[in-house]
Amino acid sequence: MTRNSYYITTPIYYPSDNLHIGHAYCTTVADSLARFHRTKGEDVFFLTGSDEHGLKIQRKAKEKGVTPIEYVDKIIANFKFLWKQLNISNNDFIRTSEERHHKVVQDTLQKIYDKGDIYKKNYEGLYCVPCESYWLERQLDENGCCPDCHRPVEKMQEESYFFKMSKYEEWWMSFIEENPDFIQPASRRNEMINFVKQGLEDLCITRTTFDWGVPVPFDSKHVVYVWFDALLNYLTGIKYGSDDAMFNKFWPASLHLVGKEIVRFHTIIWPIMLHAMGVEMPEKVYGHGWLVVDGDKMSKSKGNVIDPLALIDEFGADAIRYFLLREINLGSDGNFSRDALITRTNADLANDLGNLLHRTVSMIEKYHKGVVNDAGVSEAVDDELKTLAAATVENFIKDMDGMEINTAIKGVWAFISRANKYIDETAPWVLAKNPEKAARLETVMYNLAESLRIIAILVSPFIPSASPKIYTQLGLAVPEQFLLAEAKWGGLANGTKVAKGDPLYPRIEIAEDGSTIIGGKKYEPKVSAPAPAQEEPKFAMEPIKEEITFDVFEKMDLRVGKVIAAEKVKKSKKLLKLQVEIGPEVRTIVSGISQYYEPEAMIGKNVIVVANLAPAKLMGIESFGMLLAASDGQGNLVLADAPNMPSGARVK
Ligand code: ME8
């Protein structure tokens, strides 16, 4: 029996100060698959989240003089903001620091402990803090460093609990043999089999050297090792142990999509944990490749880390999504380049798709006052178009089911090209001059509009903001969910009235200085701002203003706000555009602090906002409120803040 539910997960991300395009890649792929399964009419649950515990986070928080939860909170707000900007349709966002997750981890540990699969022993080993992994001397690289990340390891000794992985080696081998599709692509399956053939060691699953983690229920000196904790998020997210109906509906997971470097954790440790717990196996783990930038691995020191938020701001979410999905073969490493992104966007989105819509709708308006009407005067070329439409839908489903996302996209664009060619072949402008061809012209226009209706459904998993716009221009009501069942020829009703709108995607022009011009707006090439000038303060106090009554003062509503995103306002030296969370709402506030605060440093900061100030436009951006700051009039400015207060709290 085929199930009508689909459960897809991304890895839960480590809270990283540097969001990069690699983060966006995995989530975009998962989102396109989730959306595809929704177009099949399936009940989809798409989970992503954050992996927040461990020594690394505890140390970073200490360095910054904040608690671990304060440190991660602001980073997670930034992640959530990115997913929103990227149009990610996750059903939930799980944080391992949440109570609901702690409960699942503790219950699981207790269960496996009671079964006798967890034991205590003294352990001495070489520990890699960034990877949160113990290594044996013989496993280190040629420089005596971590074999995964090649950074130095530290000698650590601690009393630890161990999970009896070795006990399940044979079970694992037979499970993998009986389920050849469990690990994908096949090359990664062979890697894993070779790894286990060398022998499985028991896994150290608790730590006493830090306390930022889930406490072990049967020994409170210990916290749970991050991977044992993290993997269980996939159960917490669908309410394992607290809502059987929900859990049974979505488990086993249809797909865990992960990066290639963490396939080992997901295909060896995870199935063995589940087996020890008596929980069914997930259906599939897929290890995708890595994204490199201009052929080079992304790294802070190389300065080639691409900030996805800046990219979305410039090119829009659809262009980024489309590029990542179209350009990269899922199982292999892929290259990100700005030039390639611009070329792809112009060719496929602005030209092929954008022009097809624009030409079609313009002609229907010009020739038929906007009304679509199939007069039934068909020619052979129409059959070719219709046959290709049906084959495109069929191949699209086959390719997406097989996770051949870029092949699926190529198929859809082949159909878009065919439809563009159909315009040239039928030459509607010639038909329009001949009254005897009036009925034929109507059919040609119908066929084009109908092609676009089907295209809108097919592109919805990849460029989700395009589909509603296409439907609207075609005069169709935008459905809550685009469905493949409706991608059958003939669904467009006669009498539908189209309505021309803005171009779907503006063409990206490149100016001589390397900046881009998109929809008439110029985007300067990114250069880092010089450090603020250090001057000797020569403070001269301004006279105090005239007295006001308490009633007047009380009219001012001051609130604590938390900055969740910040960017420089283009062409302005002074202004930063901020997204500020005030209780449940998020506001745009433009503030003249750019010379004093880098956008990155603003994220997570608590500020004081004049919350009931009438909106004002600054450099064309509407600003809803103002930040309070102290200024000495000599070029020094410090924002007023309220650390450790919840956003929305009143300032009196
Ligand atoms: O591994 N290209 O978290 P993470 C493609 N917390 N993918 C990339 C990438 C790049 N340049 N950089 C990172 C963890 N990723 C664990 C997961 S799951 C129970 C715990 C991908 O933040 C990476 O391959 O280091 C991985 O799949 C994901 O981002 C999260 O990486």
Side-chain angles (χ1 to χ4, degrees):
M1 197 185 81
T2 53
R3 62 193 263 203
N4 197 39
S5 61
Y6 184 81
Y7 178 31
I8 179 168
T9 67
T10 70
I12 47 172
Y13 296 88
Y14 289 130
S16 152
D17 291 318
N18 280 298
L19 277 175
H20 57 67
I21 190 82
H23 289 115
Y25 176 58
C26 184
T27 315
T28 300
V29 171
D31 186 67
S32 72
L33 291 167
R35 287 179 184 272
F36 162 66
H37 283 272
R38 292 192 192 108
T39 65
K40 289 210 305 184
E42 291 171 21
D43 200 345
V44 171
F45 197 82
F46 168 24
L47 183 70
T48 187
S50 51
D51 184 0
E52 304 181 9
H53 294 131
L55 183 55
K56 190 163 73 174
I57 298 291
Q58 186 164 319
R59 281 188 181 170
K60 280 222 173 124
K62 201 167 168 206
E63 269 167 32
K64 293 194 187 272
V66 293
T67 62
I69 194 72
E70 282 168 348
Y71 173 66
V72 292
D73 270 355
K74 63 177 188 181
I75 299 178
I76 301 316
N78 216 13
F79 265 98
K80 287 186 176 173
F81 183 68
L82 170 61
W83 300 151
K84 206 168 151 206
Q85 299 303 99
L86 199 55
N87 239 323
I88 300 298
S89 63
N90 53 307
N91 296 86
D92 200 352
F93 186 101
I94 171 100
R95 298 182 57 175
T96 53
S97 57
E98 288 169 328
E99 189 49 43
R100 57 172 173 159
H101 181 62
H102 282 215
K103 187 169 171 1
V104 169
V105 175
Q106 291 190 324
D107 289 353
T108 302
L109 213 67
Q110 188 70 52
K111 198 169 177 179
I112 302 181
Y113 182 68
D114 292 345
K115 202 179 156 203
D117 279 350
I118 290 176
Y119 63 93
K120 186 156 86 170
K121 84 168 185 196
N122 245 332
Y123 190 72
E124 193 184 290
L126 299 160
Y127 193 65
C128 173
V129 175
C131 296
E132 317 261 9
S133 294
Y134 271 111
W135 299 103
L136 300 170
E137 190 92 44
R138 66 174 160 84
Q139 292 173 314
L140 300 180
D141 70 7
E142 63 279 10
N143 301 316
C145 292
C146 169
D148 267 358
C149 74
H150 305 288
R151 279 177 278 206
V153 290
E154 296 174 28
K155 205 171 212 159
M156 291 240 221
Q157 191 188 20
E158 53 182 324
E159 180 189 271
S160 286
Y161 285 90
F162 280 75
F163 173 43
K164 288 186 187 167
M165 294 260 293
S166 55
K167 174 176 158 187
Y168 294 106
E169 195 177 310
E170 268 178 37
W171 168 82
W172 188 88
M173 279 293 183
S174 53
F175 165 69
I176 293 298
E177 255 166 47
E178 284 157 26
N179 295 277
D181 294 338
F182 177 69
I183 307 176
Q184 292 202 354
S187 56
R188 310 224 193 273
R189 177 172 181 266
N190 299 335
E191 248 175 68
M192 294 305 116
I193 293 174
N194 289 336
F195 184 87
V196 174
K197 270 189 185 155
Q198 291 168 22
L200 268 186
E201 310 221 5
D202 289 348
L203 181 71
C204 175
I205 56 163
T206 70
R207 300 284 189 265
T208 53
T209 43
F210 59 89
D211 59 9
W212 175 237
V214 183
V216 170
F218 41 84
D219 191 342
S220 59
K221 280 205 313 288
H222 291 251
V223 294
V224 180
Y225 165 57
V226 281
W227 273 100
F228 199 94
D229 159 359
L231 288 161
L232 286 166
N233 90 82
Y234 301 132
L235 299 187
T236 310
I238 49 165
K239 302 203 165 114
Y240 172 68
S242 63
D243 181 343
D244 288 349
M246 164 114 178
F247 182 74
N248 293 332
K249 179 169 179 188
F250 290 111
W251 194 261
S254 316
L255 175 67
H256 293 310
L257 183 71
V258 302
K260 63 180 181 181
E261 84 287 10
I262 56 173
V263 167
R264 184 155 52 94
F265 299 91
H266 284 83
T267 59
I268 302 174
I269 300 179
W270 182 226
I272 294 180
M273 280 170 66
L274 289 167
H275 183 61
M277 293 163 71
V279 174
E280 222 179 310
M281 291 304 118
E283 285 172 16
K284 199 181 288 179
V285 175
Y286 192 104
H288 66 72
W290 277 354
L291 203 59
V292 295
V293 173
D294 295 323
D296 215 353
K297 202 172 167 189
M298 257 179 284
S299 90
K300 225 172 156 183
S301 55
K302 284 182 199 146
N304 65 350
V305 175
I306 305 269
D307 171 6
L309 280 170
L311 218 54
I312 294 169
D313 182 47
E314 185 171 356
F315 298 106
D318 275 1
I320 317 300
R321 292 174 61 108
Y322 182 76
F323 176 83
L324 295 175
L325 297 169
R326 165 66 179 77
E327 205 83 356
I328 297 159
N329 194 351
L330 189 56
S332 323
D333 289 352
N335 191 36
F336 178 86
S337 108
R338 193 183 158 83
D339 290 348
L341 169 73
I342 293 172
T343 309
R344 232 336 129 213
T345 308
N346 278 342
D348 293 14
L349 299 184
N351 284 359
D352 293 349
L353 179 57
N355 280 350
L356 178 63
L357 179 68
H358 186 74
R359 290 165 90 189
T360 301
V361 174
S362 302
M363 288 190 293
I364 297 171
E365 288 197 337
K366 185 170 171 195
Y367 302 138
H368 300 133
K369 297 198 174 74
V371 180
V372 183
N373 185 31
D374 183 5
V377 184
S378 279
E379 289 182 8
V381 67
D382 299 8
D383 294 335
E384 213 184 289
L385 190 71
K386 289 180 206 175
T387 309
L388 186 64
T392 303
V393 175
E394 204 184 309
N395 288 332
F396 169 84
I397 296 172
K398 186 171 68 56
D399 292 334
M400 288 300 283
D401 274 334
M403 299 185 59
E404 305 275 354
I405 300 176
N406 57 350
T407 311
I409 294 180
K410 281 180 208 164
V412 177
W413 256 258
F415 181 57
I416 293 171
S417 297
R418 184 67 193 85
N420 272 317
K421 193 169 148 218
Y422 178 85
I423 299 182
D424 302 334
E425 287 166 345
T426 53
W429 47 92
V430 178
L431 299 176
K433 287 190 190 133
N434 183 351
E436 280 172 26
K437 294 285 183 185
R440 172 66 188 145
L441 182 60
E442 285 187 339
T443 296
V444 166
M445 288 301 124
Y446 178 91
N447 288 346
L448 285 168
E450 178 58 349
S451 298
L452 274 160
R453 189 188 65 84
I454 292 172
I455 289 163
I457 299 171
L458 297 182
V459 299
S460 66
F462 316 124
I463 43 174
S465 70
S467 308
K469 288 184 195 157
I470 299 173
Y471 257 50
T472 305
Q473 294 207 26
L474 290 177
L476 299 169
V478 176
E480 212 166 283
Q481 175 61 56
F482 287 92
L483 288 171
L484 281 165
E486 277 153 26
K488 286 198 189 86
W489 195 271
L492 187 70
N494 278 338
T496 306
K497 191 163 190 315
V498 304
K500 192 160 76 190
D502 291 335
L504 257 194
Y505 299 99
R507 247 194 99 73
I508 304 164
E509 310 290 348
I510 305 181
E512 267 179 18
D513 64 355
S515 54
T516 53
I517 300 159
I518 307 171
K521 221 171 133 187
K522 191 167 174 177
Y523 293 82
E524 304 289 342
K526 304 259 175 307
V527 283
S528 47
Q534 295 292 316
E535 278 175 30
E536 272 296 302
K538 290 180 238 90
F539 180 63
M541 189 179 126
E542 274 179 41
I544 290 175
K545 289 184 188 163
E546 65 177 283
E547 188 181 84
I548 54 165
T549 62
F550 185 71
D551 286 349
V552 174
F553 167 71
E554 233 208 346
K555 284 188 180 154
M556 186 153 69
D557 196 342
L558 299 176
R559 299 293 173 132
V560 175
K562 191 182 267 301
V563 179
I564 57 172
E567 61 177 300
K568 289 188 192 271
V569 171
K570 311 266 150 48
K571 292 199 201 143
S572 165
K573 281 197 185 122
K574 291 192 178 158
L575 299 180
L576 280 191
K577 181 179 163 199
L578 310 165
Q579 299 297 327
V580 182
E581 184 192 85
I582 303 174
E585 57 163 305
V586 175
R587 293 187 183 189
T588 300
I589 298 181
V590 180
S591 180
I593 54 171
S594 186
Q595 283 147 305
Y596 311 99
Y597 290 89
E598 283 299 317
E600 300 75 44
M602 288 302 296
I603 295 174
K605 210 172 168 52
N606 273 7
V607 289
I608 309 290
V609 181
V610 185
N612 60 341
L613 194 65
K617 254 197 180 159
L618 297 161
M619 296 281 283
I621 305 169
E622 188 121 81
S623 176
F624 299 86
M626 192 182 99
L627 306 192
L628 293 191
S631 157
D632 62 1
Q634 310 289 332
N636 294 305
L637 179 142
V638 175
L639 280 169
D641 69 351
N644 305 331
M645 288 305 289
S647 79
R650 188 178 278 284
V651 180
K652 312 192 256 201

